[in-house]
Amino acid sequence: MFDVQKIKQDFSIFKNNIDLVYLDSAATSLKPDVVIRAMNEYYEKYPYSIGRGSYSMAQKAVQKYEDSRQTIANFLNVDYLEVIFTRSTTSAINNIANSLEDQFQEGDEIIVTNLEHHSNFLPWQQLSQKKNLKLVIVSAKNKAIDLNDIYDKITPRTKLIAIHHMSNVIGDVVDVKELCENVKDKDILCLVDGAQAVPHMQVDVANIGCDFYIFSGHKALGPTGVGVAFIKKEVMNKLKPFEYGGDMVEASSVDYHTYRPKAGFEKFEAGTPSIAEVIGLGAAIKYLKKIGPDKIHEHEVALKKYALEKLKLIKNKVTIYNEEFENGLLTFNINDVAVHDAVSASLVNEVTFDSANIALRDGQLCNNLTMKYVLGETSVLRASFYLYNSYEDIDALINQINKIYDAWH
Amino acid sequence: MNEQELHKQIILSHYKEPQNKVDSLPEGYLIQKGVNPSCGDELELYIKLNGDTIEDVKYNGSGCSICCASASILTQEVKNKSIPKVISNSHKFEQMLKGEEFTEDVFEDAIAFKGIANFPARFKCAFLPWKTLSDLLTKKE
């Protein structure tokens, strides 16, 4: 039995906003108190820089920071040296795209799909335009990616495949392990955007076998301002550093610099990092692991199933776009009600999700490709479920859908 | 009917029965596109100029009630007005939406959006049609 009421006690937000119905975790998750405490503890008890001073007080900060790296390495089943802290998924993918620049020649090809979030599309579009590469876009079939459509697009010039693990609008899960296995002999790099996957399913990156795996802290119960980029050791050697600055070189002078010998992540973490946030993310991942991503996934699927049963009774009032996918995302529209009118009040509408203290996402979800080419819509509503959501939250959602529909009809 | 209720009725009537809404670009009209990327309001304004006078404006698009009604009302408000006058009115409309002081008597139905000042999240919706038109007219000026 998944005890939501017990879980809610771990999140102070539910004490501060008692009636909160939070259905926007795919945008950003709420943060358990253990995460906030871990960050506060850093600032209150050992707020020192890491990797610089040799005084003993700073050692605790170093130890906690590196403990987080080890926690995340264990969680993803990768080597500690392969875990790089970045600002976010967006920042990580942009940095990787920039670092790869010298690896690609004019006419080389990058494959993406039309289910990608902007953060895993625009950096590749940008790089392709800059270096005259061919950006090949694989279209979803029945709102998901058929791997054969990717294989069909591979040519001798294909250098990289950038793909989501779980998409942010539909929530389809790509079999990235099979994809990586099938292309591993072809000298093609595989980058997996795991921003939506890591918070909601058990991810074994070593087993997937990709070259890059990225996720954000803030969607996985952690703080904003920190993300993780796994980069395979062999691939790290080919890449330029993301940035240049302190704490990354072994030696430097007016006309040269060399990177630290057993570098791994060090080559990619110039400057003082977000120390508190990294420590907070470590606490988040420990919490996530304790509850169990697979159990969370089961809970989300059960909530969605319950919501779909309820929505069947009012099927003339709503259009659902991802009914067939087992996940915690419910992407829909209330028929003949503009999404902004459903969410946000004005002088002509008082009944909204907002007025019922329900937080959910409206608009294009940072994913114009899916909106335009897969769903054929200009905007949608998305309710996303997570470990702290209850069946009562679903009842509140359905109740408000009814009220909003009735207010406009 | 109090003023607030009257304004509500004006907006809803334009939303439900939009004026000068067409399916595609009419011949002899200029086109200007406007979007609110976060919420999905999408608009195309079709503008017919005669010298520095706006002879006619039509539109096509989709979005929320506020954005659609504002587009419909705009097409009526700017007809047969000069470009400088419309740019000036657009500025006054913006001031009204933001709750700043403005000259009321320049507007007809557009006055209905006065209350948007209490809903700052909807400013972008109401202003999109006017901003889109201003973008084109400023280029022309």
Side-chain angles (χ1 to χ4, degrees), chain B residues 66-132:
Chain B
I66 299 296
C67 181
C68 293
S70 179
S72 172
I73 288 172
L74 170 129
T75 63
Q76 296 180 334
E77 293 270 346
V78 302
K79 204 168 171 175
N80 295 322
K81 290 201 169 84
S82 73
I83 291 177
K85 178 81 183 155
V86 169
I87 291 175
S88 159
N89 284 1
S90 175
H91 183 58
K92 290 185 178 114
F93 189 70
E94 182 178 3
Q95 287 172 316
M96 176 176 80
L97 297 180
K98 287 179 171 169
E100 296 166 5
E101 276 191 31
F102 70 103
T103 330
E104 282 206 19
D105 56 9
V106 298
F107 298 122
E108 293 174 33
D109 279 1
I111 198 74
F113 291 99
K114 202 163 95 175
I116 286 292
N118 299 319
F119 301 92
R122 305 303 287 265
F123 166 82
K124 276 199 295 185
C125 318
F127 194 51
L128 180 67
W130 291 81
K131 184 186 172 294
T132 307

Side-chain angles (χ1 to χ4, degrees), chain A residues 336-341 343-350 352 361-365 368 378-379 408, chain B residues 7-8 11-12 15 37-42 62-66 112-113 115-116 119 121-122 125:
Chain A
D336 303 318
V337 181
V339 297
H340 217 48
D341 289 329
V343 173
S344 173
S346 77
L347 62 166
V348 300
N349 63 319
E350 287 168 2
T352 61
R361 180 75 194 266
D362 70 299
Q364 302 180 334
L365 317 189
N368 290 14
T378 52
S379 53
W408 285 96
Chain B
H7 288 172
K8 184 177 168 180
I11 292 172
L12 286 176
Y15 177 50
S38 59
C39 61
D41 293 332
E42 282 188 1
S62 61
C64 68
S65 55
I66 299 296
F113 291 99
I116 286 292
F119 301 92
R122 305 303 287 265
C125 318

